Amino acid sequence: MAEPPRRGPYVLGVDSGGSGLRIALAEVGRPLPPSAARASQEPVRTGAAGIDAAHLLSQLVPVAQELLDEAGADGLAAICVGAAGMATLGDDLRARLPAALTEAFGAHHLALAADAVTAYAGALGQRPGAVVAAGTGMIAMGTDLTAAGGWRRADGWGHLLGDCGGGAWIGRAGLEAAMRAHDGRPAGSRALLARAEAEFGPVAGLPGALYPRPDRPAVLASFAPEVARCAADADPVAAGILADAARHIADAAAAVCPPGGHPVVALTGGLFRMGEPLLAPVRTALAGRLPHARHETAGGSPLDGALIIAAALSEDRLKLPVDPKLLQITRPMG
């Protein structure tokens, strides 16, 4: 009787963000999608020490063990944890995760990555180029894969200081146009005013309802699809907002794109699911700012990117630039 095919080694990818935690197990050498995945709707807490490592581990370890048990695997070759805020709020993760994950799974390699880096890897793999990741916020990352070049970053500074062209930016601009129409000021949009009142009630009460909310960026971003709908219905103010957003997105891509040749640029993130009302002006803006670039559809998600990085680590073929804040590698563990 023929022996069953040997399985493994396995790697684990983790994507931690504002909407929760996603965890996936994949077998090295097999194409994505992963062999198994789980999701938690509870975001990892952030406190005085930054991202709470204990809270992340309390969600990650039991789920990862469950995935390993289901696959019949006895350990992990590598783990990549991608997290929103890793660059500025990841000190607790960097201090505690290597030892904790070694003890739990005996993994030989660990990568701790900013979510923009896992988004890059998911979109382009380990090729040079530029990736714009846009959802509630907006950040662009680029690299030529050289140690000297490292990572180039543009924006991602949050809804008060940047994230220009992202969901919160578009939503805020749409609501501003609604308020202008309410007041009778120039550059207002009656269409956006009607959408705002359908979503939030009388707009005169919107400042008091919006400003105290801790999830203000997400609330603003929730109005971005309404801007896209108005643009699709030929509202010139809404179309102008999306054209401005597209220029910001193209500017960020140009700021991080490797110079020379025919670089690859990819777009990833939920914002681009708004479709042609945004994608058409983005294509136009990118053609103007980066006429020699090749535009590609993102190959996968940030969770896919975490698995790509983990698999590359397990086989000693990681090409992406190592960085103490953006992509920290611990090897070997244990």
Side-chain angles (χ1 to χ4, degrees):
M1 179 182 297
E3 293 186 3
R6 181 177 177 272
R7 300 187 65 83
Y10 285 90
V11 295
L12 194 76
V14 181
D15 177 37
S16 175
S19 60
L21 196 68
R22 297 190 302 152
I23 303 164
L25 182 73
E27 192 174 353
V28 175
R30 291 182 178 267
L32 296 176
S35 56
R38 296 285 191 277
S40 163
Q41 303 304 312
E42 182 182 4
V44 176
R45 291 190 294 263
T46 299
I51 303 168
D52 189 332
H55 189 218
L56 185 147
L57 287 165
S58 71
Q59 296 189 65
L60 168 59
V61 172
V63 173
Q65 189 60 59
E66 181 180 305
L67 291 173
L68 284 167
D69 292 343
E70 291 176 0
D74 57 4
L76 290 165
I79 301 170
C80 176
V81 177
M86 179 71 78
T88 54
L89 299 171
D91 286 349
D92 194 37
L93 299 184
R94 285 184 281 269
R96 300 180 62 179
L97 258 57
L101 293 176
T102 296
E103 180 179 355
F105 303 113
H108 300 295
H109 307 281
L110 172 67
L112 299 177
D115 59 339
V117 170
T118 53
Y120 183 101
L124 290 183
Q126 298 201 86
R127 293 180 292 157
V131 171
V132 178
T136 297
M138 193 282 294
I139 187 170
M141 296 290 289
T143 181
D144 61 5
L145 297 186
T146 67
W151 289 102
R152 298 182 179 197
R153 166 187 170 161
D155 214 334
W157 303 121
H159 76 292
L160 293 178
L161 299 177
D163 285 355
C164 299
W169 187 96
I170 291 171
R172 186 213 56 79
L175 289 171
E176 180 190 349
M179 302 305 287
R180 286 179 173 274
H182 173 268
D183 294 346
R185 291 179 287 151
S189 166
R190 301 297 300 181
L192 287 169
L193 175 59
R195 300 274 187 170
E197 292 189 326
E199 291 291 313
F200 301 110
V203 295
L206 187 56
L210 180 62
Y211 290 161
R213 291 187 61 151
D215 60 344
R216 185 168 58 246
V219 177
L220 292 171
S222 73
F223 195 65
E226 301 301 327
V227 178
R229 292 185 184 99
C230 288
D233 290 339
D235 180 72
V237 174
I241 290 170
L242 295 187
D244 288 344
R247 284 189 285 272
H248 285 302
I249 288 167
D251 286 345
V256 303
C257 205
H262 298 279
V264 179
V265 177
L267 309 176
T268 187
L271 186 71
F272 298 111
R273 289 198 289 269
M274 294 197 309
E276 283 303 300
L278 177 62
L279 290 175
V282 167
R283 285 193 294 268
T284 299
L286 285 172
R289 293 290 278 114
L290 293 167
H292 304 299
R294 294 182 289 114
H295 306 147
E296 290 189 7
T297 302
S301 70
L303 183 60
D304 296 326
L307 290 169
I308 287 168
I309 291 170
L313 271 180
S314 74
E315 297 182 321
D316 197 27
R317 53 179 180 80
L318 184 70
K319 299 177 183 177
L320 298 175
V322 175
D323 181 278
K325 295 292 187 180
L326 296 173
L327 181 58
Q328 176 182 303
I329 305 300
T330 301
R331 53 181 170 187
M333 295 171 61

